[in-house]
Structure formats: structure tokens, C-alpha cells
């Protein structure tokens, strides 16, 4: 006996490897070139890949789908993740500087998730915030190409900041996998 469910059926656009998000030839993260040379280039390559993965997990969804919460009591959503990562990028710049910290992008703590509502204007603003904050943090770190250099009030190594950024995106890409599957059943790498 087949039961009705409000859970979406699992699916993927991939045809070559049906357990993947996209076929290898269609996946913008796949490159035909050798990997980057050097530690900094490798770290930047991984960061770029995870940023791209997050965007891919959000592609093709409307404002309601992006703002859809995971499971109670969590306030996590794909839109919340986009806003959260914009906030986190800003926080990392605070770690780099010796000056006064930048104010929170969305005001109070957890507003990045709590206030992520299904409005297209909010979606557009979240993507713009993320792009702007990523570019600003990238520019601030580009001024410190020595991964062993220590920066900011806490004397944090640039290498630690880079690895932490990668870890944050990787962790949230895992969340995005599950959130996307809950929204429309799309699964994959």
C-alpha cells in the first residue's frame, strides 16, 4: 500500500551519476586543469568551490522555498544560511583589523536566521549582502598574503582565518544539502 506524504520525492538532474547534483560535464566546480600550486592558492580554490556549492544548492528556488525552515525548533533555512554567511564574512573582517569592530549586519544575534522571511526583496538583499561582504573580506585578507602573519586584536594567523572560512562554508553546505532535499527532493554532492 502506497501512503501519501508531504515529503518531496528524491531526484537529481544528473544522468551520468544519478547520485550526484549535476553531471560532471555540467558541474561548474569541475576543472580540467591541474590543481593550484601553493598553500594559499589551494585554500582559495577550496573556498571558491564551497561558495559555488552553496549558490548551486539555492538555484532555482523561489523566496518561499529559500525561506522554508528545516525542522522545529530550528530557524535554519537556505535564505538564513545566505544571510548568516554574509554576517560571518563581516565578523572575519573584525578579526583582521585592530580598529573598532564593524556592527552586526542584521542587528541582533541570530537575526540572520530569525528574520529570513519569504520576500523577494529580502532574497535579493541577502545575495547582495553576501557578495559585498565576501568581496570586502577577500580584499582585506589579500593585503596579508603571508599565511603565517598574525593580524587583529587577537593576533590570529591568516592561515587560521582561511581554514576557518573554508570550514564554515563546508559545514553550511552540508546543511544546505539537507535543506534543499527537504524543499524539493533534490539530492547529490
Amino acid at each position: 500500500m502506497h501512503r501519501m506524504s508531504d515529503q518531496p520525492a528524491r531526484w537529481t538532474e544528473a544522468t551520468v551519476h544519478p547520485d550526484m547534483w549535476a553531471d560532471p560535464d555540467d558541474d561548474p566546480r569541475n576543472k580540467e586543469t591541474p590543481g593550484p600550486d601553493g598553500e594559499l592558492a589551494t585554500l582559495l580554490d577550496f573556498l571558491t568551490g564551497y561558495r559555488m556549492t552553496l549558490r548551486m544548492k539555492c538555484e532555482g528556488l523561489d523566496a518561499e522555498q529559500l525561506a522554508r525552515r528545516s525542522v522545529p525548533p530550528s530557524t535554519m533555512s537556505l535564505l538564513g544560511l545566505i544571510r548568516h554567511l554574509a554576517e560571518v564574512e563581516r565578523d572575519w573582517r573584525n578579526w583582521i583589523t585592530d580598529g573598532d569592530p564593524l556592527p552586526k549586519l542584521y542587528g541582533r544575534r541570530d537575526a540572520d536566521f530569525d528574520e529570513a522571511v519569504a520576500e523577494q526583496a529580502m532574497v535579493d538583499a541577502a545575495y547582495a549582502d553576501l557578495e559585498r561582504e565576501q568581496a570586502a573580506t577577500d580584499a582585506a585578507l589579500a593585503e596579508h598574503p603571508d599565511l603565517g602573519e598574525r593580524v587583529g586584536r587577537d593576533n590570529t594567523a591568516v592561515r587560521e582565518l582561511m581554514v576557518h572560512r573554508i570550514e564554515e562554508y563546508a559545514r553550511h553546505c552540508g546543511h544546505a544539502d539537507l535543506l534543499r532535499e527537504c524543499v524539493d527532493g533534490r539530492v547529490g554532492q
Side-chain angles (χ1 to χ4, degrees):
M1 172 179 217
H2 179 69
R3 292 185 158 202
M4 295 295 290
S5 171
D6 61 354
Q7 295 299 314
R10 292 174 57 107
W11 69 279
T12 181
E13 290 181 356
T15 57
V16 176
H17 303 287
D19 63 329
M20 296 176 77
W21 183 263
D23 287 327
D25 290 344
D26 299 329
D27 192 332
R29 298 167 297 180
N30 289 348
K31 304 175 201 109
E32 295 295 323
T33 59
D37 289 327
E39 184 179 4
L40 179 58
T42 300
L43 293 171
L44 290 170
D45 188 59
F46 270 85
L47 179 62
T48 298
Y50 282 120
R51 284 175 170 175
M52 193 179 305
T53 298
L54 179 69
R55 285 193 170 270
M56 290 171 69
K57 298 297 177 174
C58 297
E59 282 178 354
L61 300 177
D62 62 27
E64 185 280 322
Q65 291 170 313
L66 287 168
R68 194 175 297 167
R69 308 299 174 139
S70 58
V71 292
S74 176
T75 59
M76 188 176 290
S77 66
L78 289 165
L79 179 57
L81 286 176
I82 294 166
R83 289 166 49 95
H84 172 71
L85 287 164
E87 187 78 73
V88 169
E89 289 281 357
R90 177 171 279 210
D91 286 343
W92 284 321
R93 281 205 317 286
N94 287 332
W95 293 3
I96 298 167
T97 184
D98 291 325
D100 291 333
L102 297 165
K104 290 194 90 40
L105 188 59
Y106 300 113
R108 65 177 179 75
R109 183 183 172 161
D110 293 331
D112 42 1
F113 287 108
D114 294 342
E115 296 173 8
V117 297
E119 297 171 0
Q120 190 58 48
M122 178 165 289
V123 171
D124 296 342
Y127 277 114
D129 290 345
L130 181 60
E131 287 178 25
R132 182 190 64 248
E133 297 301 322
Q134 286 173 336
T137 303
D138 290 348
L141 279 171
E143 294 177 18
H144 306 280
D146 176 358
L147 293 171
E149 181 183 354
R150 297 202 167 264
V151 295
R153 288 180 304 283
D154 294 335
N155 208 27
T156 305
V158 172
R159 178 181 289 102
E160 181 181 346
L161 291 170
M162 291 298 298
V163 171
H164 189 105
R165 290 172 86 196
I166 293 165
E167 178 271 335
E168 186 83 9
Y169 278 92
R171 186 167 65 95
H172 289 313
C173 282
H175 294 132
D177 282 340
L178 297 172
L179 288 163
R180 180 63 188 251
E181 187 174 357
C182 286
V183 168
D184 68 358
R186 185 147 184 214
V187 297
Q189 86 280 16

